[in-house]
Amino acid sequence: DCNDRWVYLDPQRGSIAAVAEAARNLSCVGAEPIAITNNLNFSSPENDIGYWQLATSCNGITEACKELETPVTGGNVSLYNESKDDLGNVTPIQPTPVIGMVGLIDNVNKAISSGWKSENDDIWLIGSNSSETTLGASSYLEYFQGIVLGRPPKIDLKDEKLIQEFIRLGILEGLIASCHDVSDGGLAISIAECCVLSLKGVNISLTDSSRIDNLLFSEGGSRIVFSIKKNKNKLWQDFLENQKVLNNDCIFIKKIGEVTKEDFKIKHLNNIICNLKISTLTDKFNNAMTNHF
């Protein structure tokens, strides 16, 4: 994992996020994150900006690994990644400290995937109120507005760790049927990916008073989308009542919808703001590149 846009805009926050997302992806299948390796791709460290990017990124990786208890077992460094035009102008790459993380799950048969499993399953969202969510530095700004600006969201690593522990326990207890982190592109993209992978739809209801673009496409918040089988609703409610982590005001958890047959539908305060066929989403997902050739 690595969001090079975030690292370019803030090397420390971007590198923390790369470690956190790698751990989050492992937790979303039920595995405990245990160690990382890295591939540090940077421009020349012989100028002030290149040196600052490399040093600050390493500080961010260190901070995240200490909090998440995932030691660095090794890695490699690739420097001087730059191009030069005929006039001698040098263009450096965006700093990209790629994180590879390994996890452990005692019973691989309990591992789960991102796609929805059954119609009528409940869809939930968990996240951190202390971790920031923002449209700044987001894919939405880059791809729809043509802007690479803003500061990546700050991650509360203590909340991140608690949320991941909660998700892993729910998976290992057999209560969580599917699970996917909210990362590049925000909540709408994460939900759409779950639909494409399962060929199932959703009926999502958002009640926050935020702007619609912020609700759909803001990034950050240490958020995870997951589903609960309808026939395990009572067990799930008992599980929630027994989890002390949910007494933490910094962490929120809420039901946001249910799995349906084929439509990708999102409502905001009872107004439909998105209604697409899953076949349309799947075509875009599978053929976005090939349609240009």
PDB file of all heavy atoms in Angstrom, residues 24 28 112-116 122-127 163 167 176-183 186-192 194 202 204 222-228 254 256-257:
ATOM      1  N   ARG A  24      -4.838  -2.347   7.961  1.00  0.00           N
ATOM      2  CA  ARG A  24      -6.297  -2.402   7.867  1.00  0.00           C
ATOM      3  C   ARG A  24      -6.756  -3.460   6.865  1.00  0.00           C
ATOM      4  O   ARG A  24      -7.730  -4.170   7.089  1.00  0.00           O
ATOM      5  CB  ARG A  24      -6.829  -1.021   7.481  1.00  0.00           C
ATOM      6  CG  ARG A  24      -8.276  -0.754   7.875  1.00  0.00           C
ATOM      7  CD  ARG A  24      -8.697   0.637   7.459  1.00  0.00           C
ATOM      8  NE  ARG A  24      -7.794   1.658   7.939  1.00  0.00           N
ATOM      9  CZ  ARG A  24      -7.282   2.629   7.183  1.00  0.00           C
ATOM     10  NH1 ARG A  24      -7.608   2.709   5.916  1.00  0.00           N
ATOM     11  NH2 ARG A  24      -6.462   3.515   7.697  1.00  0.00           N
ATOM     12  N   CYS A  28      -9.087  -6.680   7.687  1.00  0.00           N
ATOM     13  CA  CYS A  28     -10.369  -6.847   7.002  1.00  0.00           C
ATOM     14  C   CYS A  28     -10.583  -8.263   6.470  1.00  0.00           C
ATOM     15  O   CYS A  28     -11.707  -8.606   6.083  1.00  0.00           O
ATOM     16  CB  CYS A  28     -10.489  -5.847   5.847  1.00  0.00           C
ATOM     17  SG  CYS A  28     -10.908  -4.176   6.394  1.00  0.00           S
ATOM     18  N   ILE A 112     -12.263 -13.870   5.422  1.00  0.00           N
ATOM     19  CA  ILE A 112     -13.382 -13.406   4.602  1.00  0.00           C
ATOM     20  C   ILE A 112     -12.864 -12.485   3.496  1.00  0.00           C
ATOM     21  O   ILE A 112     -11.676 -12.138   3.461  1.00  0.00           O
ATOM     22  CB  ILE A 112     -14.448 -12.679   5.444  1.00  0.00           C
ATOM     23  CG1 ILE A 112     -13.866 -11.404   6.053  1.00  0.00           C
ATOM     24  CG2 ILE A 112     -15.004 -13.603   6.519  1.00  0.00           C
ATOM     25  CD1 ILE A 112     -14.910 -10.534   6.724  1.00  0.00           C
ATOM     26  N   SER A 113     -13.758 -12.070   2.614  1.00  0.00           N
ATOM     27  CA  SER A 113     -13.381 -11.220   1.489  1.00  0.00           C
ATOM     28  C   SER A 113     -14.219  -9.944   1.483  1.00  0.00           C
ATOM     29  O   SER A 113     -15.060  -9.722   2.355  1.00  0.00           O
ATOM     30  CB  SER A 113     -13.555 -11.978   0.175  1.00  0.00           C
ATOM     31  OG  SER A 113     -14.902 -12.407   0.027  1.00  0.00           O
ATOM     32  N   SER A 114     -14.012  -9.103   0.451  1.00  0.00           N
ATOM     33  CA  SER A 114     -14.650  -7.784   0.410  1.00  0.00           C
ATOM     34  C   SER A 114     -16.069  -7.797  -0.152  1.00  0.00           C
ATOM     35  O   SER A 114     -16.881  -6.940   0.197  1.00  0.00           O
ATOM     36  CB  SER A 114     -13.801  -6.823  -0.435  1.00  0.00           C
ATOM     37  OG  SER A 114     -12.507  -6.695   0.089  1.00  0.00           O
ATOM     38  N   GLY A 115     -16.371  -8.726  -1.057  1.00  0.00           N
ATOM     39  CA  GLY A 115     -17.670  -8.719  -1.719  1.00  0.00           C
ATOM     40  C   GLY A 115     -18.806  -9.097  -0.792  1.00  0.00           C
ATOM     41  O   GLY A 115     -18.649  -9.922   0.114  1.00  0.00           O
ATOM     42  N   TRP A 116     -19.978  -8.456  -1.023  1.00  0.00           N
ATOM     43  CA  TRP A 116     -21.164  -8.820  -0.238  1.00  0.00           C
ATOM     44  C   TRP A 116     -21.480 -10.299  -0.431  1.00  0.00           C
ATOM     45  O   TRP A 116     -21.195 -10.881  -1.483  1.00  0.00           O
ATOM     46  CB  TRP A 116     -22.381  -8.002  -0.667  1.00  0.00           C
ATOM     47  CG  TRP A 116     -22.166  -6.531  -0.816  1.00  0.00           C
ATOM     48  CD1 TRP A 116     -22.377  -5.782  -1.936  1.00  0.00           C
ATOM     49  CD2 TRP A 116     -21.720  -5.607   0.190  1.00  0.00           C
ATOM     50  NE1 TRP A 116     -22.084  -4.459  -1.702  1.00  0.00           N
ATOM     51  CE2 TRP A 116     -21.684  -4.316  -0.401  1.00  0.00           C
ATOM     52  CE3 TRP A 116     -21.347  -5.742   1.535  1.00  0.00           C
ATOM     53  CZ2 TRP A 116     -21.290  -3.175   0.297  1.00  0.00           C
ATOM     54  CZ3 TRP A 116     -20.954  -4.610   2.223  1.00  0.00           C
ATOM     55  CH2 TRP A 116     -20.923  -3.354   1.615  1.00  0.00           C
ATOM     56  N   ASP A 122     -27.154  -6.844   6.520  1.00  0.00           N
ATOM     57  CA  ASP A 122     -27.021  -5.459   6.963  1.00  0.00           C
ATOM     58  C   ASP A 122     -25.608  -4.942   6.675  1.00  0.00           C
ATOM     59  O   ASP A 122     -24.629  -5.672   6.820  1.00  0.00           O
ATOM     60  CB  ASP A 122     -27.302  -5.343   8.456  1.00  0.00           C
ATOM     61  CG  ASP A 122     -28.768  -5.581   8.786  1.00  0.00           C
ATOM     62  OD1 ASP A 122     -29.617  -5.357   7.903  1.00  0.00           O
ATOM     63  OD2 ASP A 122     -29.055  -5.998   9.928  1.00  0.00           O
ATOM     64  N   ILE A 123     -25.518  -3.676   6.292  1.00  0.00           N
ATOM     65  CA  ILE A 123     -24.236  -3.033   6.016  1.00  0.00           C
ATOM     66  C   ILE A 123     -23.950  -2.023   7.117  1.00  0.00           C
ATOM     67  O   ILE A 123     -24.784  -1.175   7.438  1.00  0.00           O
ATOM     68  CB  ILE A 123     -24.246  -2.341   4.639  1.00  0.00           C
ATOM     69  CG1 ILE A 123     -24.502  -3.362   3.525  1.00  0.00           C
ATOM     70  CG2 ILE A 123     -22.927  -1.604   4.400  1.00  0.00           C
ATOM     71  CD1 ILE A 123     -24.711  -2.737   2.164  1.00  0.00           C
ATOM     72  N   TRP A 124     -22.754  -2.116   7.680  1.00  0.00           N
ATOM     73  CA  TRP A 124     -22.350  -1.264   8.794  1.00  0.00           C
ATOM     74  C   TRP A 124     -21.088  -0.493   8.434  1.00  0.00           C
ATOM     75  O   TRP A 124     -20.325  -0.887   7.548  1.00  0.00           O
ATOM     76  CB  TRP A 124     -22.100  -2.100  10.052  1.00  0.00           C
ATOM     77  CG  TRP A 124     -23.339  -2.665  10.675  1.00  0.00           C
ATOM     78  CD1 TRP A 124     -24.146  -3.651  10.167  1.00  0.00           C
ATOM     79  CD2 TRP A 124     -23.922  -2.285  11.928  1.00  0.00           C
ATOM     80  NE1 TRP A 124     -25.189  -3.907  11.012  1.00  0.00           N
ATOM     81  CE2 TRP A 124     -25.077  -3.090  12.112  1.00  0.00           C
ATOM     82  CE3 TRP A 124     -23.577  -1.356  12.905  1.00  0.00           C
ATOM     83  CZ2 TRP A 124     -25.881  -2.975  13.242  1.00  0.00           C
ATOM     84  CZ3 TRP A 124     -24.373  -1.254  14.041  1.00  0.00           C
ATOM     85  CH2 TRP A 124     -25.514  -2.052  14.197  1.00  0.00           C
ATOM     86  N   LEU A 125     -20.868   0.592   9.178  1.00  0.00           N
ATOM     87  CA  LEU A 125     -19.666   1.409   9.021  1.00  0.00           C
ATOM     88  C   LEU A 125     -19.090   1.681  10.402  1.00  0.00           C
ATOM     89  O   LEU A 125     -19.805   2.066  11.319  1.00  0.00           O
ATOM     90  CB  LEU A 125     -20.016   2.740   8.329  1.00  0.00           C
ATOM     91  CG  LEU A 125     -18.884   3.760   8.182  1.00  0.00           C
ATOM     92  CD1 LEU A 125     -17.824   3.252   7.209  1.00  0.00           C
ATOM     93  CD2 LEU A 125     -19.446   5.110   7.713  1.00  0.00           C
ATOM     94  N   ILE A 126     -17.779   1.462  10.540  1.00  0.00           N
ATOM     95  CA  ILE A 126     -17.082   1.794  11.781  1.00  0.00           C
ATOM     96  C   ILE A 126     -15.938   2.739  11.446  1.00  0.00           C
ATOM     97  O   ILE A 126     -15.365   2.680  10.357  1.00  0.00           O
ATOM     98  CB  ILE A 126     -16.555   0.522  12.491  1.00  0.00           C
ATOM     99  CG1 ILE A 126     -16.010   0.873  13.890  1.00  0.00           C
ATOM    100  CG2 ILE A 126     -15.501  -0.199  11.653  1.00  0.00           C
ATOM    101  CD1 ILE A 126     -15.643  -0.334  14.729  1.00  0.00           C
ATOM    102  N   GLY A 127     -15.647   3.649  12.365  1.00  0.00           N
ATOM    103  CA  GLY A 127     -14.562   4.582  12.114  1.00  0.00           C
ATOM    104  C   GLY A 127     -14.202   5.366  13.362  1.00  0.00           C
ATOM    105  O   GLY A 127     -14.765   5.150  14.442  1.00  0.00           O
ATOM    106  N   ILE A 163     -10.023  -0.196  16.362  1.00  0.00           N
ATOM    107  CA  ILE A 163     -10.998  -0.546  15.328  1.00  0.00           C
ATOM    108  C   ILE A 163     -10.611  -1.844  14.644  1.00  0.00           C
ATOM    109  O   ILE A 163     -11.450  -2.720  14.412  1.00  0.00           O
ATOM    110  CB  ILE A 163     -11.117   0.610  14.304  1.00  0.00           C
ATOM    111  CG1 ILE A 163     -11.832   1.800  14.951  1.00  0.00           C
ATOM    112  CG2 ILE A 163     -11.853   0.159  13.043  1.00  0.00           C
ATOM    113  CD1 ILE A 163     -11.737   3.082  14.150  1.00  0.00           C
ATOM    114  N   ILE A 167     -12.714  -5.421  14.533  1.00  0.00           N
ATOM    115  CA  ILE A 167     -13.093  -6.074  13.278  1.00  0.00           C
ATOM    116  C   ILE A 167     -12.566  -7.507  13.238  1.00  0.00           C
ATOM    117  O   ILE A 167     -13.297  -8.440  12.856  1.00  0.00           O
ATOM    118  CB  ILE A 167     -12.571  -5.266  12.081  1.00  0.00           C
ATOM    119  CG1 ILE A 167     -13.378  -3.972  11.919  1.00  0.00           C
ATOM    120  CG2 ILE A 167     -12.609  -6.090  10.790  1.00  0.00           C
ATOM    121  CD1 ILE A 167     -14.825  -4.177  11.531  1.00  0.00           C
ATOM    122  N   ILE A 176     -19.065 -11.300  11.135  1.00  0.00           N
ATOM    123  CA  ILE A 176     -18.890 -10.406   9.994  1.00  0.00           C
ATOM    124  C   ILE A 176     -18.744 -11.235   8.721  1.00  0.00           C
ATOM    125  O   ILE A 176     -17.879 -12.110   8.635  1.00  0.00           O
ATOM    126  CB  ILE A 176     -17.675  -9.487  10.198  1.00  0.00           C
ATOM    127  CG1 ILE A 176     -17.920  -8.563  11.397  1.00  0.00           C
ATOM    128  CG2 ILE A 176     -17.388  -8.670   8.941  1.00  0.00           C
ATOM    129  CD1 ILE A 176     -16.764  -7.632  11.734  1.00  0.00           C
ATOM    130  N   ALA A 177     -19.601 -10.959   7.740  1.00  0.00           N
ATOM    131  CA  ALA A 177     -19.633 -11.772   6.522  1.00  0.00           C
ATOM    132  C   ALA A 177     -18.696 -11.253   5.442  1.00  0.00           C
ATOM    133  O   ALA A 177     -18.108 -12.040   4.684  1.00  0.00           O
ATOM    134  CB  ALA A 177     -21.061 -11.825   5.973  1.00  0.00           C
ATOM    135  N   SER A 178     -18.560  -9.930   5.339  1.00  0.00           N
ATOM    136  CA  SER A 178     -17.660  -9.316   4.366  1.00  0.00           C
ATOM    137  C   SER A 178     -17.116  -8.033   4.958  1.00  0.00           C
ATOM    138  O   SER A 178     -17.727  -7.455   5.866  1.00  0.00           O
ATOM    139  CB  SER A 178     -18.388  -9.031   3.046  1.00  0.00           C
ATOM    140  OG  SER A 178     -19.353  -7.995   3.226  1.00  0.00           O
ATOM    141  N   CYS A 179     -15.984  -7.575   4.433  1.00  0.00           N
ATOM    142  CA  CYS A 179     -15.329  -6.438   5.067  1.00  0.00           C
ATOM    143  C   CYS A 179     -14.400  -5.749   4.066  1.00  0.00           C
ATOM    144  O   CYS A 179     -13.673  -6.423   3.326  1.00  0.00           O
ATOM    145  CB  CYS A 179     -14.531  -6.935   6.269  1.00  0.00           C
ATOM    146  SG  CYS A 179     -13.984  -5.649   7.394  1.00  0.00           S
ATOM    147  N   HIS A 180     -14.412  -4.420   4.053  1.00  0.00           N
ATOM    148  CA  HIS A 180     -13.580  -3.669   3.114  1.00  0.00           C
ATOM    149  C   HIS A 180     -13.237  -2.321   3.718  1.00  0.00           C
ATOM    150  O   HIS A 180     -14.104  -1.639   4.276  1.00  0.00           O
ATOM    151  CB  HIS A 180     -14.340  -3.481   1.802  1.00  0.00           C
ATOM    152  CG  HIS A 180     -13.512  -2.940   0.682  1.00  0.00           C
ATOM    153  ND1 HIS A 180     -12.153  -3.114   0.581  1.00  0.00           N
ATOM    154  CD2 HIS A 180     -13.872  -2.201  -0.408  1.00  0.00           C
ATOM    155  CE1 HIS A 180     -11.715  -2.533  -0.525  1.00  0.00           C
ATOM    156  NE2 HIS A 180     -12.739  -1.969  -1.139  1.00  0.00           N
ATOM    157  N   ASP A 181     -11.975  -1.923   3.615  1.00  0.00           N
ATOM    158  CA  ASP A 181     -11.577  -0.635   4.169  1.00  0.00           C
ATOM    159  C   ASP A 181     -11.998   0.500   3.242  1.00  0.00           C
ATOM    160  O   ASP A 181     -12.153   0.333   2.043  1.00  0.00           O
ATOM    161  CB  ASP A 181     -10.070  -0.594   4.407  1.00  0.00           C
ATOM    162  CG  ASP A 181      -9.288  -0.502   3.109  1.00  0.00           C
ATOM    163  OD1 ASP A 181      -9.559  -1.321   2.207  1.00  0.00           O
ATOM    164  OD2 ASP A 181      -8.412   0.365   2.991  1.00  0.00           O
ATOM    165  N   VAL A 182     -12.198   1.672   3.833  1.00  0.00           N
ATOM    166  CA  VAL A 182     -12.502   2.878   3.072  1.00  0.00           C
ATOM    167  C   VAL A 182     -11.190   3.621   2.866  1.00  0.00           C
ATOM    168  O   VAL A 182     -10.597   4.111   3.829  1.00  0.00           O
ATOM    169  CB  VAL A 182     -13.507   3.782   3.820  1.00  0.00           C
ATOM    170  CG1 VAL A 182     -13.767   5.055   3.028  1.00  0.00           C
ATOM    171  CG2 VAL A 182     -14.805   3.030   4.068  1.00  0.00           C
ATOM    172  N   SER A 183     -10.734   3.684   1.622  1.00  0.00           N
ATOM    173  CA  SER A 183      -9.439   4.310   1.369  1.00  0.00           C
ATOM    174  C   SER A 183      -9.544   5.272   0.199  1.00  0.00           C
ATOM    175  O   SER A 183     -10.362   6.195   0.230  1.00  0.00           O
ATOM    176  CB  SER A 183      -8.374   3.233   1.131  1.00  0.00           C
ATOM    177  OG  SER A 183      -8.766   2.346   0.095  1.00  0.00           O
ATOM    178  N   GLY A 186     -12.843   7.281  -1.093  1.00  0.00           N
ATOM    179  CA  GLY A 186     -13.853   7.510  -0.084  1.00  0.00           C
ATOM    180  C   GLY A 186     -14.906   6.418   0.020  1.00  0.00           C
ATOM    181  O   GLY A 186     -14.793   5.343  -0.570  1.00  0.00           O
ATOM    182  N   LEU A 187     -15.979   6.718   0.762  1.00  0.00           N
ATOM    183  CA  LEU A 187     -17.002   5.740   1.111  1.00  0.00           C
ATOM    184  C   LEU A 187     -17.717   5.206  -0.123  1.00  0.00           C
ATOM    185  O   LEU A 187     -17.954   3.992  -0.240  1.00  0.00           O
ATOM    186  CB  LEU A 187     -18.015   6.376   2.070  1.00  0.00           C
ATOM    187  CG  LEU A 187     -19.174   5.495   2.533  1.00  0.00           C
ATOM    188  CD1 LEU A 187     -18.661   4.301   3.322  1.00  0.00           C
ATOM    189  CD2 LEU A 187     -20.148   6.317   3.382  1.00  0.00           C
ATOM    190  N   ALA A 188     -18.093   6.068  -1.047  1.00  0.00           N
ATOM    191  CA  ALA A 188     -18.846   5.627  -2.221  1.00  0.00           C
ATOM    192  C   ALA A 188     -18.052   4.624  -3.046  1.00  0.00           C
ATOM    193  O   ALA A 188     -18.594   3.631  -3.544  1.00  0.00           O
ATOM    194  CB  ALA A 188     -19.234   6.821  -3.079  1.00  0.00           C
ATOM    195  N   ILE A 189     -16.756   4.862  -3.201  1.00  0.00           N
ATOM    196  CA  ILE A 189     -15.914   3.965  -3.991  1.00  0.00           C
ATOM    197  C   ILE A 189     -15.743   2.625  -3.286  1.00  0.00           C
ATOM    198  O   ILE A 189     -15.786   1.562  -3.913  1.00  0.00           O
ATOM    199  CB  ILE A 189     -14.547   4.608  -4.267  1.00  0.00           C
ATOM    200  CG1 ILE A 189     -14.724   5.919  -5.042  1.00  0.00           C
ATOM    201  CG2 ILE A 189     -13.637   3.657  -5.031  1.00  0.00           C
ATOM    202  CD1 ILE A 189     -15.467   5.792  -6.343  1.00  0.00           C
ATOM    203  N   SER A 190     -15.577   2.651  -1.974  1.00  0.00           N
ATOM    204  CA  SER A 190     -15.435   1.410  -1.216  1.00  0.00           C
ATOM    205  C   SER A 190     -16.680   0.540  -1.355  1.00  0.00           C
ATOM    206  O   SER A 190     -16.592  -0.669  -1.592  1.00  0.00           O
ATOM    207  CB  SER A 190     -15.174   1.730   0.261  1.00  0.00           C
ATOM    208  OG  SER A 190     -15.084   0.552   1.031  1.00  0.00           O
ATOM    209  N   ILE A 191     -17.860   1.151  -1.210  1.00  0.00           N
ATOM    210  CA  ILE A 191     -19.115   0.410  -1.339  1.00  0.00           C
ATOM    211  C   ILE A 191     -19.276  -0.117  -2.765  1.00  0.00           C
ATOM    212  O   ILE A 191     -19.688  -1.267  -2.985  1.00  0.00           O
ATOM    213  CB  ILE A 191     -20.305   1.296  -0.939  1.00  0.00           C
ATOM    214  CG1 ILE A 191     -20.237   1.638   0.557  1.00  0.00           C
ATOM    215  CG2 ILE A 191     -21.636   0.616  -1.260  1.00  0.00           C
ATOM    216  CD1 ILE A 191     -21.251   2.678   0.987  1.00  0.00           C
ATOM    217  N   ALA A 192     -18.934   0.707  -3.756  1.00  0.00           N
ATOM    218  CA  ALA A 192     -19.039   0.285  -5.152  1.00  0.00           C
ATOM    219  C   ALA A 192     -18.137  -0.910  -5.436  1.00  0.00           C
ATOM    220  O   ALA A 192     -18.529  -1.834  -6.166  1.00  0.00           O
ATOM    221  CB  ALA A 192     -18.684   1.451  -6.075  1.00  0.00           C
ATOM    222  N   CYS A 194     -17.251  -3.249  -3.341  1.00  0.00           N
ATOM    223  CA  CYS A 194     -17.902  -4.428  -2.758  1.00  0.00           C
ATOM    224  C   CYS A 194     -19.008  -4.943  -3.678  1.00  0.00           C
ATOM    225  O   CYS A 194     -19.222  -6.154  -3.792  1.00  0.00           O
ATOM    226  CB  CYS A 194     -18.482  -4.096  -1.385  1.00  0.00           C
ATOM    227  SG  CYS A 194     -17.264  -3.643  -0.132  1.00  0.00           S
ATOM    228  N   VAL A 202     -26.821  -2.420  -3.345  1.00  0.00           N
ATOM    229  CA  VAL A 202     -26.942  -1.906  -1.981  1.00  0.00           C
ATOM    230  C   VAL A 202     -28.040  -0.852  -1.934  1.00  0.00           C
ATOM    231  O   VAL A 202     -28.359  -0.206  -2.936  1.00  0.00           O
ATOM    232  CB  VAL A 202     -25.630  -1.259  -1.475  1.00  0.00           C
ATOM    233  CG1 VAL A 202     -24.547  -2.287  -1.279  1.00  0.00           C
ATOM    234  CG2 VAL A 202     -25.171  -0.140  -2.410  1.00  0.00           C
ATOM    235  N   ILE A 204     -28.205   2.236   0.498  1.00  0.00           N
ATOM    236  CA  ILE A 204     -27.477   2.954   1.539  1.00  0.00           C
ATOM    237  C   ILE A 204     -28.250   4.207   1.918  1.00  0.00           C
ATOM    238  O   ILE A 204     -28.748   4.938   1.052  1.00  0.00           O
ATOM    239  CB  ILE A 204     -26.061   3.354   1.054  1.00  0.00           C
ATOM    240  CG1 ILE A 204     -25.249   2.110   0.649  1.00  0.00           C
ATOM    241  CG2 ILE A 204     -25.329   4.156   2.116  1.00  0.00           C
ATOM    242  CD1 ILE A 204     -24.932   1.173   1.784  1.00  0.00           C
ATOM    243  N   SER A 222     -10.097   6.340   9.309  1.00  0.00           N
ATOM    244  CA  SER A 222      -9.872   4.953   9.765  1.00  0.00           C
ATOM    245  C   SER A 222     -11.135   4.110   9.622  1.00  0.00           C
ATOM    246  O   SER A 222     -11.477   3.310  10.488  1.00  0.00           O
ATOM    247  CB  SER A 222      -9.392   4.931  11.229  1.00  0.00           C
ATOM    248  OG  SER A 222      -8.192   5.654  11.374  1.00  0.00           O
ATOM    249  N   ARG A 223     -11.840   4.278   8.507  1.00  0.00           N
ATOM    250  CA  ARG A 223     -13.161   3.672   8.355  1.00  0.00           C
ATOM    251  C   ARG A 223     -13.123   2.313   7.658  1.00  0.00           C
ATOM    252  O   ARG A 223     -12.274   2.055   6.807  1.00  0.00           O
ATOM    253  CB  ARG A 223     -14.078   4.620   7.569  1.00  0.00           C
ATOM    254  CG  ARG A 223     -14.396   5.909   8.304  1.00  0.00           C
ATOM    255  CD  ARG A 223     -15.147   6.876   7.427  1.00  0.00           C
ATOM    256  NE  ARG A 223     -14.327   7.351   6.297  1.00  0.00           N
ATOM    257  CZ  ARG A 223     -14.798   8.068   5.284  1.00  0.00           C
ATOM    258  NH1 ARG A 223     -16.092   8.383   5.249  1.00  0.00           N
ATOM    259  NH2 ARG A 223     -13.994   8.465   4.318  1.00  0.00           N
ATOM    260  N   ILE A 224     -14.079   1.471   8.035  1.00  0.00           N
ATOM    261  CA  ILE A 224     -14.229   0.134   7.457  1.00  0.00           C
ATOM    262  C   ILE A 224     -15.718  -0.136   7.237  1.00  0.00           C
ATOM    263  O   ILE A 224     -16.539   0.114   8.121  1.00  0.00           O
ATOM    264  CB  ILE A 224     -13.636  -0.949   8.383  1.00  0.00           C
ATOM    265  CG1 ILE A 224     -12.110  -0.765   8.505  1.00  0.00           C
ATOM    266  CG2 ILE A 224     -13.955  -2.348   7.870  1.00  0.00           C
ATOM    267  CD1 ILE A 224     -11.472  -1.691   9.532  1.00  0.00           C
ATOM    268  N   VAL A 225     -16.053  -0.628   6.052  1.00  0.00           N
ATOM    269  CA  VAL A 225     -17.426  -1.035   5.723  1.00  0.00           C
ATOM    270  C   VAL A 225     -17.499  -2.550   5.829  1.00  0.00           C
ATOM    271  O   VAL A 225     -16.618  -3.256   5.331  1.00  0.00           O
ATOM    272  CB  VAL A 225     -17.798  -0.597   4.289  1.00  0.00           C
ATOM    273  CG1 VAL A 225     -19.129  -1.211   3.876  1.00  0.00           C
ATOM    274  CG2 VAL A 225     -17.868   0.911   4.194  1.00  0.00           C
ATOM    275  N   PHE A 226     -18.549  -3.058   6.472  1.00  0.00           N
ATOM    276  CA  PHE A 226     -18.679  -4.508   6.610  1.00  0.00           C
ATOM    277  C   PHE A 226     -20.147  -4.903   6.629  1.00  0.00           C
ATOM    278  O   PHE A 226     -21.029  -4.060   6.816  1.00  0.00           O
ATOM    279  CB  PHE A 226     -17.953  -5.018   7.857  1.00  0.00           C
ATOM    280  CG  PHE A 226     -18.447  -4.427   9.152  1.00  0.00           C
ATOM    281  CD1 PHE A 226     -19.388  -5.092   9.929  1.00  0.00           C
ATOM    282  CD2 PHE A 226     -17.962  -3.211   9.609  1.00  0.00           C
ATOM    283  CE1 PHE A 226     -19.843  -4.568  11.126  1.00  0.00           C
ATOM    284  CE2 PHE A 226     -18.410  -2.660  10.808  1.00  0.00           C
ATOM    285  CZ  PHE A 226     -19.348  -3.346  11.569  1.00  0.00           C
ATOM    286  N   SER A 227     -20.406  -6.190   6.421  1.00  0.00           N
ATOM    287  CA  SER A 227     -21.792  -6.668   6.406  1.00  0.00           C
ATOM    288  C   SER A 227     -21.995  -7.772   7.437  1.00  0.00           C
ATOM    289  O   SER A 227     -21.067  -8.519   7.772  1.00  0.00           O
ATOM    290  CB  SER A 227     -22.161  -7.181   5.007  1.00  0.00           C
ATOM    291  OG  SER A 227     -21.395  -8.313   4.657  1.00  0.00           O
ATOM    292  N   ILE A 228     -23.236  -7.843   7.933  1.00  0.00           N
ATOM    293  CA  ILE A 228     -23.640  -8.832   8.933  1.00  0.00           C
ATOM    294  C   ILE A 228     -24.810  -9.627   8.367  1.00  0.00           C
ATOM    295  O   ILE A 228     -25.784  -9.036   7.871  1.00  0.00           O
ATOM    296  CB  ILE A 228     -24.091  -8.151  10.247  1.00  0.00           C
ATOM    297  CG1 ILE A 228     -22.979  -7.256  10.808  1.00  0.00           C
ATOM    298  CG2 ILE A 228     -24.521  -9.204  11.267  1.00  0.00           C
ATOM    299  CD1 ILE A 228     -21.736  -7.981  11.236  1.00  0.00           C
ATOM    300  N   LYS A 254     -22.203   2.291  13.054  1.00  0.00           N
ATOM    301  CA  LYS A 254     -23.609   2.495  12.721  1.00  0.00           C
ATOM    302  C   LYS A 254     -23.987   1.679  11.497  1.00  0.00           C
ATOM    303  O   LYS A 254     -23.179   1.424  10.610  1.00  0.00           O
ATOM    304  CB  LYS A 254     -23.887   3.975  12.463  1.00  0.00           C
ATOM    305  CG  LYS A 254     -23.018   4.603  11.393  1.00  0.00           C
ATOM    306  CD  LYS A 254     -23.246   6.102  11.318  1.00  0.00           C
ATOM    307  CE  LYS A 254     -22.304   6.769  10.327  1.00  0.00           C
ATOM    308  NZ  LYS A 254     -22.490   8.234  10.279  1.00  0.00           N
ATOM    309  N   ILE A 256     -25.686   1.419   7.986  1.00  0.00           N
ATOM    310  CA  ILE A 256     -25.918   2.416   6.936  1.00  0.00           C
ATOM    311  C   ILE A 256     -26.739   1.870   5.768  1.00  0.00           C
ATOM    312  O   ILE A 256     -27.040   2.611   4.828  1.00  0.00           O
ATOM    313  CB  ILE A 256     -24.584   2.980   6.397  1.00  0.00           C
ATOM    314  CG1 ILE A 256     -23.713   1.861   5.801  1.00  0.00           C
ATOM    315  CG2 ILE A 256     -23.849   3.746   7.476  1.00  0.00           C
ATOM    316  CD1 ILE A 256     -22.484   2.390   5.059  1.00  0.00           C
ATOM    317  N   GLY A 257     -27.126   0.580   5.814  1.00  0.00           N
ATOM    318  CA  GLY A 257     -27.922   0.063   4.699  1.00  0.00           C
ATOM    319  C   GLY A 257     -28.003  -1.438   4.691  1.00  0.00           C
ATOM    320  O   GLY A 257     -27.726  -2.102   5.693  1.00  0.00           O
TER     321      GLY A 257
END
